[in-house]
Amino acid sequence: MSTIPLDYETLRLIWWLLLGVLLIGFAIMGGRDLGVGALLPFAARTDDERRVLLNVVGPTWEGNQVWLVLGGGAIFAAFPPLYAVSFSGFYLAMIVILLALILRPVGFKFRGKIADARWRAAWDWALFIGGAVPSLIFGVAVGNVILGAPFHFDDTMRAFYTGNFFLLLMPFALLCGLVSLGMLVTQGASVIVGRTEGLLAERARTIGIWAGLGTIVLFALGGVWVAFGIDGHVITSTVDPNAPINPLAKTVELVRGGWLSNYGAYPWMIAAPVIGLAGMALAVLGLNGRWKLVPLLATSAGIFGIISTAGLSLFPFLLPSSTVPQAGLTLWDASSSHMTLFIMLLVTAFFLPIIILYTGYVFRVMRGPVTTTSLNKNPNAY
């Protein structure tokens, strides 16, 4: 271990931060595509308008999926117990997400194959499902993490999940799902306003304003609910950040409003919910003022703040247990080995900048307004 320049505690913190970066990256980049898909049947009224929306996100949506793949890979490699519990316990919800996401590539490719109104309308609704359903369920998943998942370990450290799909649909989790859907719809509307014109942009602007306002109200309501209606998990034993993994080596108490304790210990964390609320408010103002770039940047900041609020509130927990609080997984007791985290960090330090540079290049090439006229000049358009 002495040959590794970073200690175990530091590497665990770095990978906790990197996991947050990857998840936020997907929410911002993939949220563009999910939001536009969710708006497809409502913002666009004609076939030409819907083709415009498809070509707003069509050239880049596949690349944006890289963030989702990286996030799943980071959970698998950096926090194996978290991967084992969450991917096995929430597998039905993940299958629903996967099936919805599969509709997107199929919809993009098949929609224009037949010039029939019913055929294209069916694929438009498939693309709507592919955008709205994952947006909702991702938020429901975060809500269930805050509530705690029903799992425990036996004496041999085998994980047992005792919940079911319908147990995930608790009122607070559904509220979080609506926050997620609202912020990604606002993101999609901001993209449409920034890259289209005329009635299409105006309809998206109106929907985006209401979605942004709804996100602000629901996010604030969620904060009140966490403060006064949910028991947070608080570690009461001494934690060794450099110890080997053992989720059962700690003691945990349930405290009403305990998820807010980090804000007392680390006052700077209050910046996260402030950025979340301010970002969405600025997005609403930008949409109302018919600005082009500001709403997209503001919504991205709002998404960053909202997701960061959840992550910072839970710290150091990754997945609390609602049935056996002691079994809750934290970054201190659910990570890979010291050497594994270090090697992964070297690989990430090499490839992540390449992904960011490539993504920036692609968006630079694909910049500019998308109109019916531009589509007619492009034989490769959807």
Side-chain angles (χ1 to χ4, degrees):
M1 293 297 179
S2 60
T3 60
I4 299 177
L6 296 173
D7 61 43
Y8 205 5
E9 177 184 3
T10 301
L11 282 171
R12 283 168 159 170
L13 278 170
I14 289 173
W15 271 103
W16 176 76
L17 290 170
L18 282 174
L19 178 59
V21 168
L22 295 175
L23 296 179
I24 292 171
F26 171 69
I28 292 175
M29 304 304 296
R32 299 162 51 95
D33 314 319
L34 296 175
V36 171
L39 287 171
L40 184 63
F42 308 105
R45 302 288 176 80
T46 67
D47 185 66
D48 284 342
E49 288 180 342
R50 290 175 179 173
R51 287 189 63 220
V52 167
L53 292 193
L54 292 179
N55 285 276
V56 166
V57 298
T60 56
W61 77 268
E62 289 177 289
N64 292 335
Q65 295 298 108
V66 169
W67 295 95
L68 179 60
V69 175
L70 289 175
I75 294 174
F76 170 77
F79 302 104
L82 173 63
Y83 180 88
V85 173
S86 61
F87 277 65
S88 60
F90 299 157
Y91 73 95
L92 283 178
M94 292 184 179
I95 287 176
V96 173
I97 292 175
L98 180 61
L99 292 175
L101 291 176
I102 288 173
L103 291 175
R104 292 202 296 167
V106 179
F108 276 116
K109 299 298 183 182
F110 282 9
R111 183 187 184 277
K113 297 297 184 182
I114 300 177
D116 178 78
R118 290 176 298 178
W119 170 270
R120 294 189 173 185
W123 286 114
D124 290 339
W125 284 105
L127 288 166
F128 162 77
I129 293 172
V133 170
S135 300
L136 180 68
I137 295 182
F138 283 135
V140 170
V142 173
N144 277 280
V145 171
I146 296 173
L147 291 171
F151 72 93
H152 64 274
F153 296 95
D154 66 7
D155 294 338
T156 61
M157 293 305 296
R158 290 185 302 168
F160 292 87
Y161 182 85
T162 56
N164 57 64
F165 177 80
F166 296 101
L167 193 62
L168 301 177
L169 305 178
M170 302 293 286
F172 177 77
L174 291 174
L175 172 68
C176 293
L178 292 176
V179 171
S180 174
L181 179 62
M183 71 182 187
L184 296 188
V185 166
T186 309
Q187 177 86 332
S190 300
V191 172
I192 296 171
V193 168
R195 297 200 60 195
T196 65
E197 302 170 348
L199 291 176
L200 176 58
E202 284 299 306
R203 294 190 204 102
R205 182 183 68 82
T206 301
I207 296 173
I209 290 173
W210 284 107
L213 291 172
T215 302
I216 292 170
V217 172
L218 293 174
F219 180 55
L221 176 60
V224 174
W225 201 330
V226 168
F228 300 104
I230 294 178
D231 291 334
H233 294 227
V234 178
I235 298 175
T236 56
S237 59
T238 301
V239 175
D240 182 0
N242 291 292
I245 67 170
N246 182 6
L248 300 181
K250 62 182 180 296
T251 57
V252 176
E253 290 185 2
L254 299 182
V255 179
R256 182 54 54 92
W259 289 134
L260 301 183
S261 60
N262 281 338
Y263 296 97
Y266 310 100
W268 60 267
M269 288 185 177
I270 196 64
V274 170
I275 291 173
L277 292 170
M280 298 308 299
L282 182 58
V284 170
L285 292 175
L287 289 168
N288 188 60
R290 291 178 171 78
W291 300 337
K292 290 288 187 179
L293 183 60
V294 170
L296 179 59
L297 296 177
T299 309
S300 298
I303 292 173
F304 169 83
I306 290 171
I307 297 178
S308 296
T309 298
L312 292 173
S313 299
L314 289 166
F315 181 85
F317 283 91
L318 299 171
L319 184 63
S321 171
S322 60
T323 51
V324 183
Q326 181 186 5
L329 299 175
T330 74
L331 74 155
W332 309 128
D333 55 34
S335 66
S336 293
S337 69
H338 193 180
M339 181 64 73
T340 299
L341 294 181
F342 180 68
I343 293 174
M344 288 171 53
L345 182 61
L346 295 180
V347 174
T348 303
F350 177 78
F351 283 105
L352 188 57
I354 294 176
I355 293 171
I356 294 173
L357 289 173
Y358 172 75
T359 301
Y361 172 76
V362 169
F363 275 92
R364 182 179 183 279
V365 172
M366 298 296 176
R367 70 188 186 281
V370 180
T371 64
T372 303
T373 302
S374 67
L375 296 184
N376 292 333
K377 295 179 180 179
N378 183 4
N380 298 315
Y382 289 108

